Amino acid sequence: MSGVRVRNAALLELGLTLPGFVERSRVIASLPSLALLTLAGMTPRAFDVTYVEVPDLEAIQELPGDFDAVAISSFSAMIKDAYTLADRYRAAGAKVILGGLHVTAMPGEARRHADAIVIGEAEPVWTKLLSDLLRGDLAPVYDARGVAFNLADAPMPRFDLLDVGRYNRLTVQTQRGCPFSCEFCAASIRLSPNFKVKPVEKVVSEVRRIKEIWRRPFIELADDNTFANRAHGRRLARALAAENIRWFTETDISIADDPELLAILRDSGCAQVLIGLEYPNRAGVEGIEQKANWKARRADRYLEAIERIQSHGISVNGCFILGLDGTDERSFGEVLDFVERSGLYEVQVTVQTPFPGTPLYERLLRTGRLLEPEAWERCTLFDVNFRPDTMSVALLEQGFHQLIAEVYREDRVRARRAAFKRRLRTVSGRPGG
Ligand code: SF4
């Protein structure tokens, strides 16, 4: 299922009037499910496979298709709708398989709505699951944790199943996991604890498959930290440069230390990198990265790092989190001040979100600070579902709303973009943005 519903009426109103606000989450919500396309790629052609998007269950009267078996993947924010959809398909006689990050975090809950669930990465168990399905002998749980999966063996996703006209970007994955371990991170480290990369040739063949259905596509790398393996990242960027595409990815701030990589990126069609800065100073990110306190050690050099990346003609989408422990009502002003001084082309401001399966969720649950422990529909990144340690919930909500009204004010957005474009004129090469 795709789509994320902004629940808060005040936010909805802001989102409708401020350019840039909720833009990124809308983009994510409108991406096709690469996991399902990948499993379709592993499914023998004897199966007749269809890919269906259900952006809003409330908007459909009838089930979107009559199937013998249905595999469903969804964000936490939409998982209750996904369960309803699963229940309806089961009532109609289909076998339902659920998987993904939320199901891996909450297997007991998911099992109540499925004939089978997949825990962890699905590729190692998918072939067995399909043969059990054919024999009418599905197991309730297919647990791939502890089974090593090499991305060199990744199947070609079935991009051909997509109605490509409805997407403004398609996804290709080049790595899974991350060498870091941020307390709040609900990304692929929860499926793949070890950082691993896909061979560059395999990535290029996926890009070329997409180009067969979309001549000059915009590709979003479905990665959490693309350049964590710098040698692989350089090879990848060089290979993408030859493909005449525009692309976007997520990475960490250390790419600023690598002028060779930045030079390759500039010429490779990289339109933007998204970087989780989390907070503009060291105090705010202290302890967030739990292996080596890496983010805290970098935070005081954010300004120069952003300048160095953007001076190569690559725009940065800087992400900030409000409500982090130790940050109080001064945080709203600190974030706004940093955004203004940084020259960031794009900004994403969200509230700390305790996704299931994360150490943050466990800690807040343990200490009685979750407002509604299983209100997954509040996992939108914009809804507060925990008690902040230094301010009230109401103050965090109010400060967040006021801050986004300022950050996404039309004149500020225009000024940020104009400043970057002015800067670009001093950089030889393609226009950015
Ligand atoms: S650096 Fe990013 S991807 Fe890696 S653990 Fe932290 S939040 Fe997750």
Side-chain angles (χ1 to χ4, degrees):
M1 294 196 62
S2 59
V4 174
R5 214 173 281 134
V6 175
R7 300 171 63 253
N8 185 299
L11 279 179
L12 193 57
E13 201 175 314
L14 281 169
L16 293 174
T17 55
L18 294 168
F21 178 56
V22 301
E23 216 167 67
R24 178 71 195 137
S25 59
R26 280 205 186 117
V27 166
I28 292 171
S30 63
L31 293 172
S33 167
L34 189 59
L36 292 176
L37 295 177
T38 301
L39 294 181
M42 286 187 80
T43 303
R45 292 296 172 124
F47 289 80
D48 187 10
V49 179
T50 305
Y51 177 86
V52 181
E53 295 269 2
V54 186
D56 188 354
L57 193 59
E58 287 171 12
I60 57 167
Q61 301 295 322
E62 290 179 8
L63 288 173
D66 178 19
F67 303 110
D68 299 319
V70 181
I72 301 176
S73 166
S74 175
F75 302 115
S76 288
M78 297 291 285
I79 199 72
K80 290 181 181 171
D81 279 5
Y83 290 156
T84 302
L85 184 66
D87 295 343
R88 285 174 62 183
Y89 267 118
R90 291 178 87 194
K95 295 290 180 198
V96 169
I97 300 137
L98 290 172
L101 279 161
H102 185 94
V103 169
T104 295
M106 304 299 299
E109 169 193 285
R111 274 186 66 175
R112 296 199 292 273
H113 305 276
D115 297 285
I117 62 165
V118 175
I119 302 177
E121 295 172 290
E123 290 97 334
V125 296
W126 189 245
T127 304
K128 165 93 171 83
L129 185 150
L130 288 181
S131 74
D132 291 352
L133 176 68
L134 277 182
R135 283 187 293 108
D137 189 25
L138 269 181
V141 179
Y142 292 83
D143 190 345
R145 287 172 301 184
V147 184
F149 177 68
N150 189 334
L151 285 176
D153 300 325
M156 174 66 74
R158 288 281 309 274
F159 298 113
D160 59 293
L161 294 174
L162 295 173
D163 170 8
V164 76
R166 65 179 287 171
Y167 303 100
N168 59 14
R169 49 180 80 186
L170 295 183
T171 47
V172 169
Q173 190 171 53
T174 80
Q175 54 92 190
R176 267 184 211 166
C178 178
F180 305 117
S181 184
C182 299
E183 187 189 34
F184 57 80
C185 184
S188 62
I189 58 169
R190 307 292 165 217
L191 285 181
S192 169
N194 299 321
F195 176 71
K196 55 193 175 190
V197 296
K198 188 182 282 179
V200 169
E201 307 70 46
K202 222 172 168 60
V203 175
V204 169
S205 65
E206 291 183 27
V207 168
R208 290 184 180 165
R209 183 62 61 89
I210 288 176
K211 284 161 73 176
E212 289 170 12
I213 54 171
W214 183 358
R215 202 167 58 84
R216 195 165 179 241
F218 192 105
I219 290 182
E220 170 149 350
L221 301 187
D223 298 343
D224 299 313
N225 197 346
T226 297
F227 304 110
N229 177 332
R230 203 55 59 70
H232 178 267
R234 286 196 206 113
R235 278 201 307 280
L236 175 72
R238 275 197 201 94
L240 294 180
E243 293 302 316
N244 192 27
I245 55 170
R246 299 249 296 150
W247 57 282
F248 164 100
T249 197
E250 302 187 17
T251 182
D252 68 61
I253 194 81
S254 69
I255 63 165
D257 307 339
D258 190 336
E260 186 187 340
L261 175 64
L262 293 177
I264 304 168
L265 286 182
R266 181 185 59 207
D267 299 324
S268 71
C270 177
Q272 187 171 84
V273 291
L274 181 144
I275 299 178
L277 304 170
E278 326 308 3
Y279 199 77
N281 63 40
R282 177 169 184 139
V285 287
E286 196 63 51
I288 274 183
E289 197 285 300
Q290 299 187 313
K291 279 187 186 161
N293 207 15
W294 188 84
K295 287 197 170 166
R297 290 192 285 117
R298 306 288 305 206
D300 291 337
R301 285 172 286 150
Y302 277 169
L303 282 176
E304 58 185 268
I306 293 164
E307 161 60 18
R308 224 175 302 143
I309 299 168
Q310 295 202 143
S311 72
H312 282 76
I314 305 146
S315 68
V316 175
N317 186 336
C319 304
F320 300 90
I321 300 175
L322 294 173
L324 293 167
D325 277 11
T327 62
D328 57 22
E329 66 265 31
R330 285 172 297 185
S331 56
F332 311 116
E334 285 176 352
V335 170
L336 183 61
D337 178 57
F338 182 90
V339 166
E340 292 295 286
R341 285 189 296 129
S342 66
L344 279 167
Y345 178 85
E346 196 111 41
V347 183
Q348 179 179 294
V349 184
T350 58
V351 291
Q352 177 169 253
T353 301
F355 285 97
T358 61
L360 174 69
Y361 181 88
E362 298 305 327
R363 178 169 68 84
L364 295 180
L365 182 67
R366 204 173 52 245
T367 52
R369 289 175 58 195
L370 286 178
L371 299 179
E372 292 182 70
E374 293 185 8
W376 312 127
E377 65 279 10
R378 297 177 77 153
C379 290
T380 59
L381 298 173
F382 306 115
D383 291 286
V384 179
N385 192 25
F386 71 101
R387 250 178 283 287
D389 68 339
T390 56
M391 57 183 138
S392 67
V393 171
L395 190 57
L396 175 56
E397 284 178 337
Q398 187 189 26
F400 174 56
H401 296 180
Q402 285 170 352
L403 176 62
I404 58 176
E406 284 300 316
V407 166
Y408 298 106
R409 225 173 61 192
E410 207 166 337
D411 58 323
R412 288 190 198 271
V413 172
R414 258 202 316 268
R416 282 199 291 274
R417 294 185 178 177
F420 177 75
K421 283 176 180 151
R422 268 198 309 279
R423 186 79 178 81
L424 258 193
R425 288 190 205 115
T426 64
V427 181
S428 62
R430 67 193 170 74

